[in-house]
Protein backbone atom coordinates (compact mmCIF):
# COMPACT_ATOMS: atom_id res chain seq x y z
CA UNK A 1 0.00 0.00 0.00
CA UNK A 2 2.82 2.37 0.82
CA UNK A 3 5.30 1.46 -1.91
CA UNK A 4 3.77 -0.82 -4.53
CA UNK A 5 0.38 0.80 -5.17
CA UNK A 6 1.95 4.19 -6.04
CA UNK A 7 4.55 2.44 -8.21
CA UNK A 8 1.93 0.43 -10.10
CA UNK A 9 -0.19 3.59 -10.61
CA UNK A 10 2.84 5.42 -12.00
CA UNK A 11 3.69 2.53 -14.33
CA UNK A 12 0.11 2.50 -15.63
CA UNK A 13 0.07 6.28 -16.10
CA UNK A 14 -2.65 6.71 -13.47
CA UNK A 15 -2.84 9.62 -11.08
CA UNK A 16 -1.67 9.06 -7.54
CA UNK A 17 -4.90 10.60 -6.15
CA UNK A 18 -6.19 7.14 -5.25
CA UNK A 19 -3.12 6.67 -3.03
CA UNK A 20 -3.60 9.92 -1.13
CA UNK A 21 -4.37 9.38 2.57
CA UNK A 22 -7.84 9.97 3.94
CA UNK A 23 -8.36 12.04 7.06
CA UNK A 24 -10.41 10.38 9.81
CA UNK A 25 -11.01 11.16 13.49
CA UNK A 26 -9.56 8.85 16.13
CA UNK A 27 -11.84 6.71 18.27
CA UNK A 28 -9.28 6.85 21.09
CA UNK A 29 -6.05 8.63 22.00
CA UNK A 30 -2.62 7.59 20.72
CA UNK A 31 0.83 8.34 22.10
CA UNK A 32 3.44 10.64 20.60
CA UNK A 33 5.53 9.24 17.75
CA UNK A 34 9.28 8.73 17.66
CA UNK A 35 11.83 10.02 15.13
CA UNK A 36 10.58 7.93 12.15
CA UNK A 37 7.37 7.81 10.13
CA UNK A 38 5.14 5.16 11.68
CA UNK A 39 2.40 3.26 9.86
CA UNK A 40 0.14 2.02 12.65
CA UNK A 41 -2.13 -0.92 11.90
CA UNK A 42 -5.69 0.22 12.53
CA UNK A 43 -9.38 -0.63 12.21
CA UNK A 44 -12.07 1.70 10.90
CA UNK A 45 -15.33 1.81 12.85
CA UNK A 46 -18.73 3.45 12.45
CA UNK A 47 -19.76 5.66 15.40
CA UNK A 48 -23.15 7.31 15.07
CA UNK A 49 -22.97 7.24 11.29
CA UNK A 50 -19.46 8.70 11.17
CA UNK A 51 -16.35 6.74 10.26
CA UNK A 52 -13.54 6.73 12.84
CA UNK A 53 -10.24 4.90 13.13
CA UNK A 54 -8.51 3.20 16.05
CA UNK A 55 -5.11 1.51 16.19
CA UNK A 56 -5.04 -2.20 16.97
CA UNK A 57 -3.92 -3.09 20.49
CA UNK A 58 -0.33 -4.09 19.81
CA UNK A 59 1.84 -2.63 17.05
CA UNK A 60 4.63 -5.22 17.36
CA UNK A 61 5.73 -6.04 13.80
CA UNK A 62 5.94 -9.77 14.56
CA UNK A 63 2.19 -10.02 15.26
CA UNK A 64 0.75 -10.94 11.87
CA UNK A 65 -2.71 -11.48 13.36
CA UNK A 66 -2.84 -7.75 14.09
CA UNK A 67 -2.02 -6.98 10.48
CA UNK A 68 -4.71 -9.42 9.35
CA UNK A 69 -7.26 -7.61 11.58
CA UNK A 70 -6.33 -4.18 10.22
CA UNK A 71 -8.21 -2.52 7.38
CA UNK A 72 -6.19 0.71 7.47
CA UNK A 73 -2.85 2.26 8.40
CA UNK A 74 -2.64 5.44 10.50
CA UNK A 75 0.26 7.50 9.15
CA UNK A 76 2.21 9.22 11.93
CA UNK A 77 4.89 11.69 10.87
CA UNK A 78 8.23 11.82 12.68
CA UNK A 79 7.99 13.34 16.18
CA UNK A 80 4.21 13.76 15.90
CA UNK A 81 2.71 14.74 19.27
CA UNK A 82 0.16 12.60 21.07
CA UNK A 83 -3.28 12.68 19.46
CA UNK A 84 -6.52 12.85 21.44
CA UNK A 85 -9.90 11.21 20.93
CA UNK A 86 -11.59 12.75 17.89
CA UNK A 87 -8.41 14.31 16.51
CA UNK A 88 -8.01 13.95 12.73
CA UNK A 89 -5.22 11.69 11.47
CA UNK A 90 -4.02 10.58 8.04
CA UNK A 91 -5.18 7.09 7.11
CA UNK A 92 -4.28 4.76 4.25
CA UNK A 93 -7.05 2.20 3.68
CA UNK A 94 -6.01 -1.40 3.14
CA UNK A 95 -8.78 -1.96 0.64
CA UNK A 96 -7.36 -4.62 -1.62
Amino acid sequence: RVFLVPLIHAMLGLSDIESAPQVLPLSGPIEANGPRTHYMRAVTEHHGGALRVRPVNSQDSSLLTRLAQADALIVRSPNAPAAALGEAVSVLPLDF
Side-chain angles (χ1 to χ4, degrees), residues 63-94:
L63 299 175
L64 293 181
T65 55
R66 301 295 188 227
L67 180 59
Q69 293 169 343
D71 65 356
L73 297 171
I74 297 173
V75 182
R76 302 282 288 154
S77 40
N79 303 309
L85 166 73
E87 190 169 330
V89 292
S90 293
V91 176
L92 291 173
L94 296 176

Side-chain angles (χ1 to χ4, degrees), residues 32-84:
N33 194 27
R36 299 182 300 182
T37 300
H38 188 195
Y39 295 89
M40 299 177 76
R41 290 165 296 284
V43 176
T44 54
E45 306 171 323
H46 289 278
H47 288 277
L51 194 60
R52 292 181 175 252
V53 65
R54 73 167 169 80
V56 295
N57 291 339
S58 179
Q59 293 294 319
D60 190 321
S61 61
S62 68
L63 299 175
L64 293 181
T65 55
R66 301 295 188 227
L67 180 59
Q69 293 169 343
D71 65 356
L73 297 171
I74 297 173
V75 182
R76 302 282 288 154
S77 40
N79 303 309

